Amino acid sequence: MNRLDNLLRNNQAWAERVSREDPTFFERLSRQQAPKYLWIGCSDSRVPANQVVDLAPGEVFVHRNIANVVVHTDLNCLSVIQFAVDVLKVEHILVVGHYGCGGVHAALTNARVGLADNWIRHVGDVSAKHAQLLLDAGDEPLQHDRLCELNALEQVANVCQTTIVRDAWARGQTLSVHGWVYTLRDGRVHDLGLNVAASDQLEPQFAAALAAISIDKEDR
């Protein structure tokens, strides 16, 4: 049986290194988490939330799934959002897609991957909704980029439409929802221009962000 001894050794070396560099780090970390950010991202192993925004453990609350999808019947995701908003009092929810997403590509090309096809169908709905925009984008790689962006925008809208977020805004809680896309090729995050801090901001900001998605020949 493979006991993954290499990972245990890595953990020990990491813990020792962190303790040498910051002797009180783990003591502080164990007291209470008080992050300002909830990251809703893709499960892709190449997109680690803390490293992408260069924040330490304890500073980002994280939910990840294939293709960073937010579904109104997904109690797992909704529970994370509720805990983050109502208990941790995060101030920002970051919905982060990434160029080159395999789940988005499967939705774009109708590729079968297995049970996950049922989950990826949500991204397929985004593709169908914006079919003309994708067609206008050009070849398949460019359509893939556009769908990664469109999917992030649609999931921001889904977050904003949850009862959790709407109730927070109704009681005057400081909370903003943002749409980003991460580029694997250079490690940069792109703000899609959707930064919603109140219910009445969603519709006009969504329209503006959608209009801003132009045909970009650059390979992401």
Side-chain angles (χ1 to χ4, degrees):
M1 181 177 67
N2 186 345
R3 294 177 52 198
L4 301 178
D5 289 340
N6 60 320
L7 298 185
L8 294 172
R9 287 193 298 270
N10 289 350
N11 167 255
Q12 182 176 352
W14 170 76
E16 291 173 352
R17 184 177 68 252
V18 170
S19 294
R20 285 196 305 271
E21 295 171 354
D22 184 353
T24 65
F25 176 81
F26 290 110
E27 179 185 350
R28 295 196 313 271
L29 194 65
S30 65
R31 290 175 189 160
Q32 184 178 359
Q33 64 171 337
K36 294 183 179 179
Y37 312 98
L38 166 61
W39 172 291
I40 300 177
C42 183
S43 296
D44 194 300
S45 59
R46 301 168 295 176
V47 191
N50 286 75
Q51 285 98 320
V52 167
V53 289
D54 195 23
L55 291 176
E59 296 190 63
V60 185
F61 200 57
V62 178
H63 176 77
R64 298 170 70 178
N65 61 54
I66 295 173
N68 48 274
V69 172
V70 177
V71 183
H72 294 301
T73 54
D74 179 6
L75 295 183
N76 184 359
C77 183
L78 293 178
S79 295
V80 171
I81 295 173
Q82 186 272 324
F83 191 87
V85 172
D86 294 348
V87 179
L88 298 177
K89 307 296 184 184
V90 299
E91 297 177 6
H92 302 274
I93 299 176
L94 313 171
V95 180
V96 187
H98 68 95
Y99 296 113
C101 179
V104 171
H105 189 260
L108 178 67
T109 60
N110 295 310
R112 294 294 302 274
V113 298
L115 179 63
D117 296 337
N118 299 280
W119 181 257
I120 292 169
R121 181 61 246 172
H122 295 294
V123 187
D125 292 341
V126 175
S127 179
K129 179 178 178 179
H130 299 285
Q132 188 59 54
L133 191 155
L134 292 173
L135 203 60
D136 293 343
D139 59 15
E140 185 179 298
L142 291 172
Q143 291 183 22
H144 188 191
D145 287 350
R146 295 295 81 75
L147 187 53
C148 290
E149 297 165 349
L150 291 165
N151 184 53
L153 293 182
E154 291 290 350
Q155 306 316 316
V156 168
N158 286 346
V159 172
C160 292
Q161 291 164 347
T162 63
T163 57
I164 304 155
V165 170
R166 294 176 73 86
D167 287 349
W169 285 333
R171 62 178 175 261
Q173 184 171 335
T174 299
L175 180 65
S176 299
V177 188
H178 312 269
W180 289 358
V181 178
Y182 173 71
T183 305
L184 295 168
R185 183 171 50 83
D186 62 11
R188 300 295 182 90
V189 170
H190 300 266
D191 186 341
L192 294 174
L194 191 54
N195 301 281
V196 185
S199 296
D200 59 359
Q201 295 179 8
L202 176 58
E203 187 173 341
Q205 283 203 31
F206 187 93
L210 191 60
I213 294 179
S214 59
I215 299 174
D216 185 354
K217 299 298 183 183
E218 180 183 358
D219 180 17
R220 301 291 186 181

